[in-house]
Amino acid sequence: MSKEPLKPTGKNPMAFGANLYFLFLVLMVAFVMFRVWSLVLFESEKYKEVLSRKLYSDTTVSVLRGTIMSEEGDILATTIPYYDLTLDMTASYLNKKRKNPKDDSLIVRLKAAGLKIDADKANENWLDKLASKFSGKKEKITKTIFQTELEYTAEILAKTLGERNKEEYEKLLTKWYREAQSKGPKPAGYRYRVLKKNVDYKTFEKLRNEGIFCAEKGHISCLNKSERYKPVYPYGNLAMRTIGKIPTEEEHKDKKLFNAQTGIQYSYNSYLAGITGKVKRKRLGKNAYLTLDDENNILPQNGSDVITTLDVNMQDMVENELRKTLTNHRAEFGTAVVMEVATGKIKAMANLGYDTTRSGYFELENYAIRRRFEPGSTLKLASLMAAMEKEGLTPSDRVDIEGGTARVGEMLVRDAGHGKAESNLTIQQIFERSSNVGVAKTVYRLFEQNQNKVSEYLETIRTFGLLNTTGIDLKGEREPKTFSPKDKSWTRNYSLIKLSFGYFFEFTPLQILNFYNTVANNGKQLKPYLVSEVRYLDQTIEKFEPKVINPKICSDKTLKWAHQLMVGVALNGTAKGRDSLEFFYAGKTGTVQLLNYPKDGIPNNPTNSYLFPDGQGGWTNRHQVSFVGYFPKDNPTYSIITLINYPKTPEPTGGGIAVPLFKEIAKKIYAGSLNYQFRALPAPNRVAISNLYHGQQADLALLLKKLKLPYRIQREEEFAKVVTNAGKYYLQGNRVPESAMPDLTGMNLRDALYLLESRGIRPKINGKGRVISQSIGAGSPLKRGMSLQLELSL
Amino acid sequence: MKDTREQRTVFQYVDLPILLTVMGLMLIGLLSIYAAVYNNEHQSIFDLSQSYGKQILWISGAFLILVIVLGTDYRIFEPASYFFYALTLLLLGLVLVFGREVNGAKAWFEIGGFRLQPAEFAKVATCLSIANYIGNSGLKFNQLKHTLVPVILIAVPLFLIMLQPDTGSALVYFSFIFVMYREGLSINYLLLIAFIGLVSVLALLFDKVLLIAILSGFGAVYVLFSRFKLRAFLSYLPILLIGLFLVITIDFIFNNVLEPHQQDRINVLLGKETDIKGVGYNVHQSKIAIGSGGLWGKGFLEGTQTKLNFVPEQSTDFIFCTIGEEWGFAGSLVLLSLYSILIIRIIKLAELQKWRFARIYGYGVASIIFFHVFINIGMTIGLLPVIGIPLPFISYGGSSMFAFTLLVSIFLRLDNTRKLVLQ
């Protein structure tokens, strides 16, 4: 090298620059250190807390909702676990490199998965072909798991989920994948993609081992399932308003969100909802957690089952009859309630209203407890009973009804249906013909005209239980509207008269029914109720017995006469039928002329019943007809109210519309009651199943754990049977074939329903408890719409 | 060489402080990588299927490079610099065509399972050629040509790297400004760069009209105080014009030149967006790791934040937070001290060089290492936007390990010569 390598630069001329540079470096390092120092010194606690929040988390464990059952154990509303399948498109496994082995071609694997494949369609793709042309060796080409598995996965998805065809799934997955991989801005929710909602466990299991979902050891599958529940109403809309709608999952988890206010679902939510678990967990790694023992842990508990007093057959029949009547008379809405006289149990509660959008009658609102109406003639019984109880009136006392029109006090009272101009009638006849004049004159004479005893009248009505709510175990019962001299609008010599034959007061249909039930029950007033028992697994948590509100509302003599009055209505009066019935009933009709109600369409609103802003108040030609009574007359078993609002039939009366409905219901109950007795007989050849349990393996394992019984799992499956051998318990996995009838014996109804639901079978259920026999044997091939009879027993 | 004493081994006269600090850093790096990707299935640090096993390979390779460089004739570096520079430019060009795309940047050649990042080596080549050019006697920065050539030497690889795009590596090229400053470039250039940076940040943050008013106001006051001299006015005018240009065009540059993810990162840094889950995620997680590490750290392999994969890129760009979490402030202090020792020692030795080429090269080495450390740690603790750039000798990766070793080895070789000559 000619050039002299060592060029002496002599004295350093740039010393100042060097020092400045040096200073700059020192300052920068100091700055960085200061920042780290401040992170550690001032923000350390904050970050430690953030970290502990990330490491230790309180996790809520959602639980299944309880089932609502009929008295006989038929499931009225339940939930079945279902899953939403989601894909984690950022799962690292998708980007893992994989060689594309020759023998692992799509066609071979699809055939292995039991799918019929068109051989030409499933050819190698162009990239493989190109690669093998270049290299001669196909194995050299590496692609990501996603790329190699895409086609196969799409095929499997198309066959399994069937919502799209293979090409569409391929497009969809590629789109999601690209969006998750792109460097630029990503669309919202790019990470977790919902593949399908409401999928059963089986489908999830099936997919988990396929294509891109099947992760190798040490990797996490991109397929996730989030458990949800699917509401199931085996009887459709039956008693929908009484049972209530199954709340959404969010409402189920958080009581505060659930504010439907009606139905058993809401009223018994605390039982049905169960206990949402809360556990402290420590994060160990990606998707790996350790549940810590913590005193604040709340163990999750599934919701309890609620057994109602409802009888499914009766409810079904009542609803059908009510619908028929409503349809025949093109009525606006109606309600029919059947109550067991001796207990107060509601056996059926139907509420149907016309839905203009769906053009038919549906359970729109619980009219029986949510709406109140002027009772009309059905209150006359209470008026006359008060007079008998307090003023010694007897059915044979006579009143001059002055031909059906009379001035009573300051009111001109008219009877409906002016026929014979009779004058001198007994109280019995007055009641049978439902004479307003007769009742008004009697009550006015006894309680206001001669002596001021209005409050005594009102007090007696109160003793009858009419001025209070019934206390039914459904939230949302409407308070009755009362009226007394304390009210401003009370008018002397007028208001009491109108009250006496059923105006000004407003009651819910159930409140009226409850009064008649009390009379039928020999004066013993009961609380009507809908839920008889709360059960968890096979244990009774709480039992609800009939509750007496008032052991005797009046004297036996009054009761006897009241009974006599009502029997007369059926035999000779407004409810007299043209047909002869094999049983006798008793009761009272009611026909109320409706007031013109305001445009918002809600009648009998407490604040505006009598105030009409548009000045169009007054009577309309609309009527509400009702009948309330009980049967058989000598041994009252059921009391029933039927109420039809605004029938379009000309000149509607309770006798013409509500009575036939009542009779139809009573007749069918009576005919059916023989069957009930028959059904109550012990079933022959009952199998002892107490130690043979069959259900979801995880549930059974939990159960055995709770009972501290040692057990071993034999074969992991979704479902398992408990087998005992020499004091040891074995959970024998039971593979449930997809295309054949599963073995349901030993299962509880929910598990059985779950299995049947996914196979499209709707079973007929008899009894309660666990399945002891199934009408189609396990292993039989399935047919769509197959009907299966299940016998259940405790 | 006849005029100097024979060297018995290549390591004789090698500067020990530099060698030891580098080895110390490599060791810390290896342990940190082990801690960052540790898992129960692969407990052996020599497991070649894991990053730490591979890092041992890279370290071994680095020593091989050191030995080879120390055994090379020192006279080759100066003439070879332009050739080396041209070669790396070629590679930078080729990588844009044949490179493998990783994380959206075409920065890698993949040869038989080994990935090579030419940008890492381009730094060394640029450093050498700048030292070669400026090292020529008679260079004056007040001549436009003498200023322009180094600027072009910097700009060409910078431009090619920006095409990949790899903003982090490109940013490092600004470190050569400091080298030029050391060699006589007016401080005004540095001030101008600082001014551009400051105005850009302010223009992104504050009202544009207000900024224009302030800039004009300063000008007015300046001209006022200099008694309306034309010279004063003319000297402020370019600054004002640059300022105005920046204020007006910054939004356009921000929206059209920067990638969306870079925009987001800058927005997060400037506090315009607080997005803990999205773009700010990395930095937030990293701050949690360092902050929760406290003064003394949680101990080796005890870092939950890093072990649970909360921090992405924790064995490469975010390795500092592993150290911060497991060794605490004390560990960070030790690490930064090692870097400070290394940089100061290099500068000190550079100042001692009689050979201008060696001195300038030394400054280049110190500046490059400093830039890497400052940007990397600055981004980890949220001082700077997130730019992918490795921590020298610590971060996992063969290319950066080899490139930094080459960088320092050449300097050691040059310094070695000084000692040989002195004796």
Side-chain angles (χ1 to χ4, degrees), chain A residues 1 3-10 12-22 24-26 28-29 31-41 43-45 47-48 50-51 54-55 97 183-185 217-218 282-286, chain B residues 74-75 78-79 100 103-104 135-136 178 181-184 187 260-261 284-285 287-288 290-292 294-295 298 304-305 308 310 320 325 329 332-333 336 340 343-344 347 351 353-356 359 363 366-367 370 374 377 381 383 421:
Chain A
M1 215 177 261
K3 212 156 120 193
E4 173 57 47
L6 299 174
K7 294 174 203 156
T9 49
N12 193 342
M14 305 291 178
F16 175 70
N19 287 340
L20 208 63
Y21 180 66
F22 195 72
F24 173 75
L25 295 192
V26 170
M28 283 309 199
V29 169
F31 181 48
V32 166
M33 269 339 278
F34 173 75
R35 181 72 190 112
V36 176
W37 174 247
S38 74
L39 258 179
V40 169
L41 198 69
E43 295 167 48
S44 181
E45 287 311 309
Y47 286 125
K48 274 181 185 162
V50 172
L51 191 63
K54 279 167 63 173
L55 282 180
K97 289 282 163 51
K183 286 291 136 194
K217 203 183 158 221
K282 186 182 176 179
R283 188 168 168 169
L284 294 179
K286 258 192 178 172
Chain B
Y74 68 95
R75 284 165 298 192
E78 200 177 18
R100 220 194 109 71
N103 290 337
N136 277 318
F178 290 99
Y181 161 69
R182 165 65 185 81
E183 293 304 318
I187 197 165
H261 68 275
H284 183 71
Q285 298 304 327
K287 276 179 171 176
I288 292 174
I290 296 167
S292 67
L295 212 53
K298 296 172 186 170
T304 46
Q305 183 73 356
L308 293 184
F310 283 130
F320 181 70
E325 189 180 20
F329 179 73
S332 312
L333 195 64
L336 270 162
S340 301
I343 292 166
I344 290 167
I347 292 173
E351 284 293 334
Q353 302 298 320
K354 301 280 181 296
W355 189 11
R356 209 174 166 198
R359 187 182 75 214
Y363 261 90
S367 298
F370 169 74
F374 181 69
I377 298 181
I381 58 179
L383 286 175
V421 171

Side-chain angles (χ1 to χ4, degrees), chain A residues 672-790:
Chain A
S673 65
L674 292 170
N675 290 342
Y676 298 140
Q677 275 179 12
F678 176 73
R679 210 158 56 162
L681 289 171
N685 303 327
R686 188 171 283 184
V687 191
I689 54 151
S690 54
N691 60 354
L692 178 68
Y693 272 76
H694 188 185
Q696 305 219 4
Q697 199 166 47
D699 286 357
L700 291 175
L702 192 74
L703 184 75
L704 290 172
K705 216 183 244 171
K706 266 193 178 171
L707 295 169
K708 296 207 167 97
L709 294 172
Y711 69 95
R712 201 177 288 166
I713 290 178
Q714 287 183 334
R715 220 163 69 173
E716 289 228 21
E717 289 289 345
E718 193 187 2
F719 284 90
K721 275 190 170 179
V722 181
V723 179
T724 52
N725 189 8
K728 272 191 182 157
Y729 290 83
Y730 295 93
L731 282 180
Q732 221 166 50
N734 180 22
R735 180 155 283 253
V736 184
E738 196 67 8
S739 57
M741 179 61 70
D743 178 9
L744 303 171
T745 51
M747 281 191 184
N748 63 28
L749 193 51
R750 186 200 288 267
D751 285 343
L753 272 182
Y754 166 73
L755 281 175
L756 294 173
E757 174 88 7
S758 59
R759 288 166 177 76
I761 307 164
R762 179 168 286 187
K764 289 200 177 84
I765 302 140
N766 208 351
K768 51 188 162 184
R770 294 184 176 273
V771 178
I772 51 164
S773 79
Q774 55 192 95
S775 63
I776 300 171
S780 313
L782 286 184
K783 283 174 206 135
R784 276 273 150 193
M786 186 176 233
S787 81
L788 174 74
Q789 184 93 26
L790 287 182

Side-chain angles (χ1 to χ4, degrees), chain A residues 311-367:
Chain A
D311 182 305
V312 171
N313 297 325
M314 207 184 280
Q315 174 75 31
D316 189 38
M317 178 270 291
V318 170
E319 248 180 65
N320 281 337
E321 293 304 326
L322 178 63
R323 183 173 283 113
K324 262 189 241 165
T325 305
L326 290 170
T327 314
N328 285 344
H329 298 280
R330 296 191 295 119
E332 187 189 3
F333 61 81
T335 177
V337 184
V338 181
M339 192 164 157
E340 200 171 76
V341 171
T343 57
K345 284 180 182 173
I346 305 290
K347 303 302 292 179
M349 187 181 251
N351 295 282
L352 294 174
Y354 190 75
D355 186 344
T356 44
T357 55
R358 287 180 286 178
S359 306
Y361 290 97
F362 293 93
E363 289 250 343
L364 301 176
E365 194 184 335
N366 198 332
Y367 307 107

Side-chain angles (χ1 to χ4, degrees), chain A residues 296-313:
Chain A
N296 295 326
N297 278 359
I298 300 169
L299 286 177
Q301 193 183 333
N302 281 341
S304 304
D305 297 337
V306 164
I307 291 131
T308 64
T309 58
L310 292 173
D311 182 305
V312 171
N313 297 325

Side-chain angles (χ1 to χ4, degrees), chain B residues 278-407:
Chain B
V279 192
Y281 177 82
N282 296 8
V283 175
H284 183 71
Q285 298 304 327
S286 155
K287 276 179 171 176
I288 292 174
I290 296 167
S292 67
L295 212 53
W296 300 107
K298 296 172 186 170
F300 187 51
L301 298 183
E302 297 296 321
T304 46
Q305 183 73 356
T306 46
K307 227 164 70 186
L308 293 184
N309 283 322
F310 283 130
V311 187
E313 306 288 343
Q314 51 186 330
S315 64
T316 54
D317 295 348
F318 276 88
I319 189 92
F320 181 70
C321 72
T322 309
I323 295 165
E325 189 180 20
E326 299 200 342
W327 301 110
F329 179 73
S332 312
L333 195 64
V334 168
L335 183 78
L336 270 162
S337 305
L338 281 177
Y339 277 123
S340 301
I341 290 168
L342 180 66
I343 292 166
I344 290 167
R345 183 76 192 161
I346 291 173
I347 292 173
K348 202 185 157 203
L349 289 183
E351 284 293 334
L352 288 178
Q353 302 298 320
K354 301 280 181 296
W355 189 11
R356 209 174 166 198
F357 171 75
R359 187 182 75 214
I360 298 166
Y361 180 73
Y363 261 90
V365 173
S367 298
I368 290 171
I369 294 177
F370 169 74
F371 245 68
H372 270 268
V373 173
F374 181 69
I375 292 177
N376 181 286
I377 298 181
M379 115 194 145
T380 314
I381 58 179
L383 286 175
L384 297 170
V386 177
I387 297 161
I389 187 168
L391 200 54
F393 305 111
I394 301 270
S395 288
Y396 170 76
S399 292
S400 83
M401 179 62 80
F402 294 165
F404 278 113
T405 308
L406 188 64
L407 196 68

Side-chain angles (χ1 to χ4, degrees), chain B residues 174-240:
Chain B
F174 283 100
S175 60
F176 293 117
I177 303 276
F178 290 99
V179 180
M180 288 162 72
Y181 161 69
R182 165 65 185 81
E183 293 304 318
L185 187 72
S186 165
I187 197 165
N188 287 344
Y189 289 98
L190 281 175
L191 292 178
L192 183 66
I193 289 173
F195 174 75
I196 288 172
L198 185 71
V199 172
S200 305
V201 169
L202 292 177
L204 283 172
L205 277 178
F206 299 108
D207 187 44
K208 309 237 163 359
V209 179
L210 182 76
L211 264 176
I212 292 173
I214 289 171
L215 280 173
S216 317
F218 271 128
V221 170
Y222 179 70
V223 172
L224 192 77
F225 272 86
S226 57
R227 294 174 201 160
F228 301 100
K229 276 181 185 155
L230 188 64
R231 234 183 94 213
F233 178 69
L234 285 179
S235 65
Y236 186 71
L237 193 65
I239 297 174
L240 180 68

